[in-house]
Amino acid sequence: MSKCEQCIIRQFNALKSLHKEDLVRITSCKTSKVIKKGAVIFEEGENINGVFCIREGICKLTKLSPNGKEQIVRLVIKGDLLGQRSLVSNEVANLTAVAANDMEVCFIPKQEIVHNLSRNINFSMDMLKSMADELKLSENIIVDMAQKTVKQRLAETLLYLRENFGEDINGFLNIVLTREDYANIVGTATESAIRLLSQFKKEGLIATEGKKIKIENSEALKLVE
Amino acid sequence: MSKCEQCIIRQFNALKSLHKEDLVRITSCKTSKVIKKGAVIFEEGENINGVFCIREGICKLTKLSPNGKEQIVRLVIKGDLLGQRSLVSNEVANLTAVAANDMEVCFIPKQEIVHNLSRNINFSMDMLKSMADELKLSENIIVDMAQKTVKQRLAETLLYLRENFGEDINGFLNIVLTREDYANIVGTATESAIRLLSQFKKEGLIATEGKKIKIENSEALKLVE
DNA sequence: TTTAAATAATGATTTTGGTCATATTTTAAA
DNA sequence: TTTAAAATATGACCAAAATCATTATTTAAA
């Protein structure tokens, strides 16, 4: 079992502000988990009772609508804390967390986080800041959803993914999603996402190889109308 | 000039956790403002340098999209703090705040809030909680935007407004918005909002009198498809 | 009180995107 | 390897909502 005091991942989230002794205590009560692609980490309505620190992999935060369609609200990535909001509000999960690829996470029980929130100002300020960032992101997504076309949102999603996950040696996006995932991020039908990706390909904006996607002309993607 | 120590509005937001001496200090440096309906409190990109405590009235938080359409992201009401997110992130405003009706607000300079955030755990926890609530609300709006029809969103907006602002003696919503405002909340064209409200009226779901709207059949509104 | 401007209402038309159907390809399991 | 299932692709059609146009009504300003 790895030690939090020595874990570099905490540099990327609020845990960086914890003191040595707190980290030692967390090490002794945390649990590490390996999660397979597609596995559910927690579901909407579930009591989480802690937060997950993402050591490796990507997780989709989704919500199922009454009509059976799934919306991907946000992607949580390596270094992020998962479940902060529910913990702070002391509520059950509002979203479902599903592994987008194989993941490695540590689960830190609620009382440890609460303990530090109530004693360590730097820690709670960090938490506050990351929540503020998420809020800004969400507000901007609302505006995009309301005012941009599906095509524009898909183009922006591709650019966002490259920005946040980078590309491999051949220029393909490091993150590999199904067409259905793209549709669920953009908020459209799977067929529409497929059709638009085909169109982007035909127009030379992207190249594809199976599920892998490469951005060929980011300037044109930015200008999509 | 009213005194924060004696102001009951602070019970509705994080300021309730401040100590007497902090409130006294805020009283001496805050400024009170009366804001006319339609006036801009701050604009996207502006440095706010503090938070506004809403003593009276309602404020629209909007964002202008490149195509010139305005989206109302959230309504901020009596008792709320306005500008928290920008202050915490130490960023310029991400949204524009416009008075939806005549307002009375107090402006509290940034350094006062920061001072308390860094010393008063209860205050920062309250701030954290309200930010978490806003985040949850925003996430749910994203899902609604992606998966519900304009008609459903409009119906939900009407129910939400009654829930949050109540109705007058005759059953009309206490909050009075233009059809354009409705469109900008729902994320649709003004004509579409007008058309759907007319339809709701024809079907007996609502009654209208000028801009005022009365919900006649909330069960049917909940079931709109 | 008159006039201008803003807001609301409604029709006609077009566009976007959803749905349904079917075929092909890819992936994973037996 | 064979086979079944999942994912991708594309066509045809339909519905929701946007746009454009015009008129009526309300509100605010001169």
mmCIF file of all heavy atoms in Angstrom, chain A residues 9-19 23 51 53 79-81 84 113 116-117 120-131:
data_model
loop_
_atom_site.group_PDB
_atom_site.id
_atom_site.type_symbol
_atom_site.label_atom_id
_atom_site.label_comp_id
_atom_site.label_asym_id
_atom_site.label_seq_id
_atom_site.Cartn_x
_atom_site.Cartn_y
_atom_site.Cartn_z
ATOM 1 N N ILE A 9 0.736 12.611 -6.518
ATOM 2 C CA ILE A 9 -0.579 13.005 -7.055
ATOM 3 C C ILE A 9 -1.223 14.118 -6.230
ATOM 4 O O ILE A 9 -1.938 14.967 -6.743
ATOM 5 C CB ILE A 9 -1.511 11.768 -7.117
ATOM 6 C CG1 ILE A 9 -1.076 10.835 -8.243
ATOM 7 C CG2 ILE A 9 -2.964 12.176 -7.344
ATOM 8 C CD1 ILE A 9 -1.220 11.413 -9.625
ATOM 9 N N ARG A 10 -0.978 14.101 -4.928
ATOM 10 C CA ARG A 10 -1.650 15.087 -4.077
ATOM 11 C C ARG A 10 -1.262 16.525 -4.415
ATOM 12 O O ARG A 10 -1.961 17.468 -4.040
ATOM 13 C CB ARG A 10 -1.407 14.784 -2.592
ATOM 14 C CG ARG A 10 -0.027 15.097 -2.072
ATOM 15 C CD ARG A 10 0.002 14.991 -0.549
ATOM 16 N NE ARG A 10 1.144 15.672 0.001
ATOM 17 C CZ ARG A 10 2.388 15.192 0.015
ATOM 18 N NH1 ARG A 10 2.627 13.992 -0.490
ATOM 19 N NH2 ARG A 10 3.373 15.893 0.516
ATOM 20 N N GLN A 11 -0.163 16.704 -5.139
ATOM 21 C CA GLN A 11 0.223 18.055 -5.577
ATOM 22 C C GLN A 11 -0.837 18.690 -6.467
ATOM 23 O O GLN A 11 -0.908 19.900 -6.612
ATOM 24 C CB GLN A 11 1.549 18.018 -6.349
ATOM 25 C CG GLN A 11 2.740 17.583 -5.514
ATOM 26 C CD GLN A 11 2.870 18.360 -4.223
ATOM 27 O OE1 GLN A 11 2.587 19.555 -4.179
ATOM 28 N NE2 GLN A 11 3.260 17.686 -3.147
ATOM 29 N N PHE A 12 -1.661 17.828 -7.097
ATOM 30 C CA PHE A 12 -2.639 18.335 -8.056
ATOM 31 C C PHE A 12 -3.985 18.692 -7.438
ATOM 32 O O PHE A 12 -4.883 19.136 -8.116
ATOM 33 C CB PHE A 12 -2.848 17.307 -9.177
ATOM 34 C CG PHE A 12 -1.618 17.047 -9.964
ATOM 35 C CD1 PHE A 12 -0.933 15.844 -9.842
ATOM 36 C CD2 PHE A 12 -1.116 18.025 -10.813
ATOM 37 C CE1 PHE A 12 0.226 15.608 -10.571
ATOM 38 C CE2 PHE A 12 0.031 17.797 -11.547
ATOM 39 C CZ PHE A 12 0.713 16.588 -11.428
ATOM 40 N N ASN A 13 -4.150 18.416 -6.151
ATOM 41 C CA ASN A 13 -5.444 18.742 -5.528
ATOM 42 C C ASN A 13 -5.259 19.275 -4.112
ATOM 43 O O ASN A 13 -4.126 19.491 -3.663
ATOM 44 C CB ASN A 13 -6.374 17.515 -5.557
ATOM 45 C CG ASN A 13 -5.802 16.324 -4.816
ATOM 46 O OD1 ASN A 13 -5.337 16.450 -3.688
ATOM 47 N ND2 ASN A 13 -5.841 15.160 -5.463
ATOM 48 N N ALA A 14 -6.377 19.472 -3.436
ATOM 49 C CA ALA A 14 -6.344 20.114 -2.122
ATOM 50 C C ALA A 14 -5.506 19.355 -1.103
ATOM 51 O O ALA A 14 -5.022 19.946 -0.121
ATOM 52 C CB ALA A 14 -7.771 20.283 -1.600
ATOM 53 N N LEU A 15 -5.287 18.078 -1.322
ATOM 54 C CA LEU A 15 -4.510 17.287 -0.353
ATOM 55 C C LEU A 15 -3.084 17.812 -0.180
ATOM 56 O O LEU A 15 -2.412 17.514 0.802
ATOM 57 C CB LEU A 15 -4.479 15.810 -0.788
ATOM 58 C CG LEU A 15 -5.846 15.109 -0.875
ATOM 59 C CD1 LEU A 15 -5.694 13.696 -1.432
ATOM 60 C CD2 LEU A 15 -6.550 15.076 0.475
ATOM 61 N N LYS A 16 -2.655 18.611 -1.121
ATOM 62 C CA LYS A 16 -1.302 19.183 -1.023
ATOM 63 C C LYS A 16 -1.143 20.067 0.216
ATOM 64 O O LYS A 16 -0.037 20.273 0.698
ATOM 65 C CB LYS A 16 -0.953 19.987 -2.275
ATOM 66 C CG LYS A 16 -1.764 21.261 -2.467
ATOM 67 C CD LYS A 16 -1.198 22.067 -3.627
ATOM 68 C CE LYS A 16 -2.107 23.240 -3.978
ATOM 69 N NZ LYS A 16 -3.375 22.801 -4.588
ATOM 70 N N SER A 17 -2.262 20.568 0.715
ATOM 71 C CA SER A 17 -2.197 21.475 1.858
ATOM 72 C C SER A 17 -2.247 20.766 3.206
ATOM 73 O O SER A 17 -2.245 21.415 4.250
ATOM 74 C CB SER A 17 -3.332 22.497 1.785
ATOM 75 O OG SER A 17 -3.137 23.334 0.663
ATOM 76 N N LEU A 18 -2.319 19.449 3.184
ATOM 77 C CA LEU A 18 -2.371 18.720 4.465
ATOM 78 C C LEU A 18 -0.985 18.612 5.068
ATOM 79 O O LEU A 18 0.025 18.608 4.374
ATOM 80 C CB LEU A 18 -2.965 17.331 4.249
ATOM 81 C CG LEU A 18 -4.421 17.301 3.784
ATOM 82 C CD1 LEU A 18 -4.954 15.874 3.818
ATOM 83 C CD2 LEU A 18 -5.302 18.204 4.644
ATOM 84 N N HIS A 19 -0.960 18.518 6.396
ATOM 85 C CA HIS A 19 0.306 18.376 7.099
ATOM 86 C C HIS A 19 0.736 16.917 7.121
ATOM 87 O O HIS A 19 -0.091 16.014 6.992
ATOM 88 C CB HIS A 19 0.154 18.901 8.525
ATOM 89 C CG HIS A 19 -0.390 20.286 8.588
ATOM 90 N ND1 HIS A 19 -1.518 20.612 9.289
ATOM 91 C CD2 HIS A 19 0.005 21.427 7.967
ATOM 92 C CE1 HIS A 19 -1.789 21.899 9.127
ATOM 93 N NE2 HIS A 19 -0.877 22.423 8.326
ATOM 94 N N LEU A 23 -1.452 13.356 6.677
ATOM 95 C CA LEU A 23 -1.229 12.429 5.567
ATOM 96 C C LEU A 23 -0.940 11.026 6.094
ATOM 97 O O LEU A 23 -1.426 10.036 5.544
ATOM 98 C CB LEU A 23 -0.074 12.927 4.699
ATOM 99 C CG LEU A 23 -0.397 14.185 3.881
ATOM 100 C CD1 LEU A 23 0.871 14.785 3.299
ATOM 101 C CD2 LEU A 23 -1.399 13.871 2.776
ATOM 102 N N VAL A 51 -14.030 10.710 -0.238
ATOM 103 C CA VAL A 51 -13.667 11.177 -1.576
ATOM 104 C C VAL A 51 -12.662 10.214 -2.196
ATOM 105 O O VAL A 51 -11.959 9.490 -1.492
ATOM 106 C CB VAL A 51 -13.051 12.604 -1.560
ATOM 107 C CG1 VAL A 51 -14.038 13.636 -1.031
ATOM 108 C CG2 VAL A 51 -11.769 12.626 -0.768
ATOM 109 N N CYS A 53 -9.393 9.923 -4.610
ATOM 110 C CA CYS A 53 -8.282 10.646 -5.226
ATOM 111 C C CYS A 53 -7.857 9.832 -6.443
ATOM 112 O O CYS A 53 -7.485 8.663 -6.325
ATOM 113 C CB CYS A 53 -7.137 10.797 -4.213
ATOM 114 S SG CYS A 53 -5.695 11.636 -4.889
ATOM 115 N N GLY A 79 -5.357 13.143 -10.697
ATOM 116 C CA GLY A 79 -5.020 14.285 -9.858
ATOM 117 C C GLY A 79 -6.239 14.937 -9.229
ATOM 118 O O GLY A 79 -6.122 15.634 -8.228
ATOM 119 N N ASP A 80 -7.415 14.709 -9.818
ATOM 120 C CA ASP A 80 -8.627 15.321 -9.272
ATOM 121 C C ASP A 80 -9.147 14.553 -8.061
ATOM 122 O O ASP A 80 -8.869 13.368 -7.893
ATOM 123 C CB ASP A 80 -9.749 15.334 -10.327
ATOM 124 C CG ASP A 80 -9.526 16.369 -11.415
ATOM 125 O OD1 ASP A 80 -8.654 17.235 -11.232
ATOM 126 O OD2 ASP A 80 -10.226 16.312 -12.436
ATOM 127 N N LEU A 81 -9.925 15.253 -7.250
ATOM 128 C CA LEU A 81 -10.670 14.594 -6.176
ATOM 129 C C LEU A 81 -12.099 14.390 -6.671
ATOM 130 O O LEU A 81 -12.699 15.296 -7.251
ATOM 131 C CB LEU A 81 -10.682 15.446 -4.907
ATOM 132 C CG LEU A 81 -9.371 15.532 -4.132
ATOM 133 C CD1 LEU A 81 -9.547 16.388 -2.890
ATOM 134 C CD2 LEU A 81 -8.852 14.150 -3.757
ATOM 135 N N GLN A 84 -16.127 15.430 -3.880
ATOM 136 C CA GLN A 84 -16.007 16.593 -2.995
ATOM 137 C C GLN A 84 -17.347 17.252 -2.714
ATOM 138 O O GLN A 84 -17.674 17.570 -1.586
ATOM 139 C CB GLN A 84 -15.169 17.694 -3.660
ATOM 140 C CG GLN A 84 -13.727 17.401 -3.902
ATOM 141 C CD GLN A 84 -13.046 18.627 -4.499
ATOM 142 O OE1 GLN A 84 -12.711 19.552 -3.790
ATOM 143 N NE2 GLN A 84 -12.851 18.638 -5.798
ATOM 144 N N ILE A 113 -11.508 13.801 5.825
ATOM 145 C CA ILE A 113 -11.630 15.064 5.080
ATOM 146 C C ILE A 113 -12.286 16.127 5.965
ATOM 147 O O ILE A 113 -11.809 17.265 6.062
ATOM 148 C CB ILE A 113 -12.464 14.862 3.794
ATOM 149 C CG1 ILE A 113 -11.853 13.769 2.917
ATOM 150 C CG2 ILE A 113 -12.601 16.171 3.022
ATOM 151 C CD1 ILE A 113 -10.492 14.083 2.368
ATOM 152 N N ASN A 116 -9.977 17.569 8.532
ATOM 153 C CA ASN A 116 -9.042 18.564 8.011
ATOM 154 C C ASN A 116 -9.739 19.852 7.575
ATOM 155 O O ASN A 116 -9.187 20.940 7.750
ATOM 156 C CB ASN A 116 -8.239 17.963 6.850
ATOM 157 C CG ASN A 116 -7.179 16.996 7.347
ATOM 158 O OD1 ASN A 116 -6.226 17.394 7.997
ATOM 159 N ND2 ASN A 116 -7.389 15.718 7.077
ATOM 160 N N LEU A 117 -10.927 19.702 7.024
ATOM 161 C CA LEU A 117 -11.680 20.899 6.621
ATOM 162 C C LEU A 117 -11.922 21.802 7.814
ATOM 163 O O LEU A 117 -11.919 23.025 7.703
ATOM 164 C CB LEU A 117 -13.035 20.495 6.015
ATOM 165 C CG LEU A 117 -13.074 20.150 4.532
ATOM 166 C CD1 LEU A 117 -14.475 19.726 4.119
ATOM 167 C CD2 LEU A 117 -12.617 21.330 3.673
ATOM 168 N N ASN A 120 -7.875 22.924 9.016
ATOM 169 C CA ASN A 120 -6.822 23.421 8.131
ATOM 170 C C ASN A 120 -7.391 24.386 7.084
ATOM 171 O O ASN A 120 -7.997 23.986 6.097
ATOM 172 C CB ASN A 120 -6.178 22.213 7.452
ATOM 173 C CG ASN A 120 -4.980 22.593 6.592
ATOM 174 O OD1 ASN A 120 -4.892 23.713 6.094
ATOM 175 N ND2 ASN A 120 -4.066 21.665 6.430
ATOM 176 N N ILE A 121 -7.168 25.671 7.343
ATOM 177 C CA ILE A 121 -7.705 26.713 6.475
ATOM 178 C C ILE A 121 -7.202 26.609 5.043
ATOM 179 O O ILE A 121 -7.951 26.801 4.091
ATOM 180 C CB ILE A 121 -7.345 28.110 7.038
ATOM 181 C CG1 ILE A 121 -8.256 28.468 8.196
ATOM 182 C CG2 ILE A 121 -7.416 29.166 5.968
ATOM 183 C CD1 ILE A 121 -9.574 29.049 7.788
ATOM 184 N N ASN A 122 -5.933 26.264 4.880
ATOM 185 C CA ASN A 122 -5.400 26.149 3.525
ATOM 186 C C ASN A 122 -6.111 25.044 2.750
ATOM 187 O O ASN A 122 -6.402 25.176 1.566
ATOM 188 C CB ASN A 122 -3.896 25.852 3.558
ATOM 189 C CG ASN A 122 -3.121 27.056 4.019
ATOM 190 O OD1 ASN A 122 -3.514 28.190 3.749
ATOM 191 N ND2 ASN A 122 -2.050 26.822 4.759
ATOM 192 N N PHE A 123 -6.384 23.966 3.466
ATOM 193 C CA PHE A 123 -7.078 22.850 2.837
ATOM 194 C C PHE A 123 -8.484 23.261 2.395
ATOM 195 O O PHE A 123 -8.879 23.020 1.252
ATOM 196 C CB PHE A 123 -7.141 21.674 3.822
ATOM 197 C CG PHE A 123 -7.825 20.450 3.288
ATOM 198 C CD1 PHE A 123 -7.300 19.757 2.210
ATOM 199 C CD2 PHE A 123 -8.987 19.971 3.883
ATOM 200 C CE1 PHE A 123 -7.927 18.610 1.721
ATOM 201 C CE2 PHE A 123 -9.621 18.834 3.404
ATOM 202 C CZ PHE A 123 -9.084 18.156 2.313
ATOM 203 N N SER A 124 -9.212 23.920 3.283
ATOM 204 C CA SER A 124 -10.576 24.299 2.891
ATOM 205 C C SER A 124 -10.565 25.388 1.815
ATOM 206 O O SER A 124 -11.429 25.415 0.943
ATOM 207 C CB SER A 124 -11.437 24.696 4.094
ATOM 208 O OG SER A 124 -10.752 25.549 4.946
ATOM 209 N N MET A 125 -9.561 26.244 1.833
ATOM 210 C CA MET A 125 -9.461 27.246 0.764
ATOM 211 C C MET A 125 -9.174 26.570 -0.580
ATOM 212 O O MET A 125 -9.728 26.963 -1.612
ATOM 213 C CB MET A 125 -8.349 28.261 1.081
ATOM 214 C CG MET A 125 -8.796 29.411 1.959
ATOM 215 S SD MET A 125 -10.242 30.300 1.309
ATOM 216 C CE MET A 125 -9.515 31.141 -0.105
ATOM 217 N N ASP A 126 -8.331 25.563 -0.566
ATOM 218 C CA ASP A 126 -8.056 24.829 -1.809
ATOM 219 C C ASP A 126 -9.314 24.166 -2.339
ATOM 220 O O ASP A 126 -9.596 24.171 -3.538
ATOM 221 C CB ASP A 126 -6.999 23.744 -1.558
ATOM 222 C CG ASP A 126 -5.608 24.324 -1.471
ATOM 223 O OD1 ASP A 126 -5.433 25.504 -1.834
ATOM 224 O OD2 ASP A 126 -4.692 23.603 -1.035
ATOM 225 N N MET A 127 -10.061 23.578 -1.430
ATOM 226 C CA MET A 127 -11.305 22.914 -1.800
ATOM 227 C C MET A 127 -12.262 23.951 -2.403
ATOM 228 O O MET A 127 -12.910 23.704 -3.412
ATOM 229 C CB MET A 127 -11.913 22.310 -0.531
ATOM 230 C CG MET A 127 -12.874 21.210 -0.785
ATOM 231 S SD MET A 127 -12.034 19.635 -1.016
ATOM 232 C CE MET A 127 -12.793 18.699 0.295
ATOM 233 N N LEU A 128 -12.334 25.088 -1.738
ATOM 234 C CA LEU A 128 -13.200 26.178 -2.191
ATOM 235 C C LEU A 128 -12.806 26.609 -3.604
ATOM 236 O O LEU A 128 -13.657 26.797 -4.475
ATOM 237 C CB LEU A 128 -13.062 27.340 -1.206
ATOM 238 C CG LEU A 128 -14.077 28.467 -1.198
ATOM 239 C CD1 LEU A 128 -15.490 27.941 -1.137
ATOM 240 C CD2 LEU A 128 -13.815 29.407 -0.025
ATOM 241 N N LYS A 129 -11.516 26.716 -3.817
ATOM 242 C CA LYS A 129 -11.035 27.135 -5.134
ATOM 243 C C LYS A 129 -11.374 26.121 -6.211
ATOM 244 O O LYS A 129 -11.790 26.485 -7.313
ATOM 245 C CB LYS A 129 -9.520 27.380 -5.105
ATOM 246 C CG LYS A 129 -9.181 28.752 -4.578
ATOM 247 C CD LYS A 129 -7.711 29.100 -4.787
ATOM 248 C CE LYS A 129 -7.434 30.465 -4.181
ATOM 249 N NZ LYS A 129 -6.362 30.456 -3.182
ATOM 250 N N SER A 130 -11.200 24.857 -5.898
ATOM 251 C CA SER A 130 -11.466 23.883 -6.958
ATOM 252 C C SER A 130 -12.958 23.801 -7.241
ATOM 253 O O SER A 130 -13.377 23.612 -8.377
ATOM 254 C CB SER A 130 -10.858 22.514 -6.629
ATOM 255 O OG SER A 130 -11.670 21.807 -5.743
ATOM 256 N N MET A 131 -13.767 24.009 -6.211
ATOM 257 C CA MET A 131 -15.218 24.021 -6.414
ATOM 258 C C MET A 131 -15.602 25.236 -7.271
ATOM 259 O O MET A 131 -16.479 25.151 -8.128
ATOM 260 C CB MET A 131 -15.910 24.085 -5.060
ATOM 261 C CG MET A 131 -17.303 23.567 -5.072
ATOM 262 S SD MET A 131 -17.393 21.851 -4.587
ATOM 263 C CE MET A 131 -17.239 22.004 -2.837
#
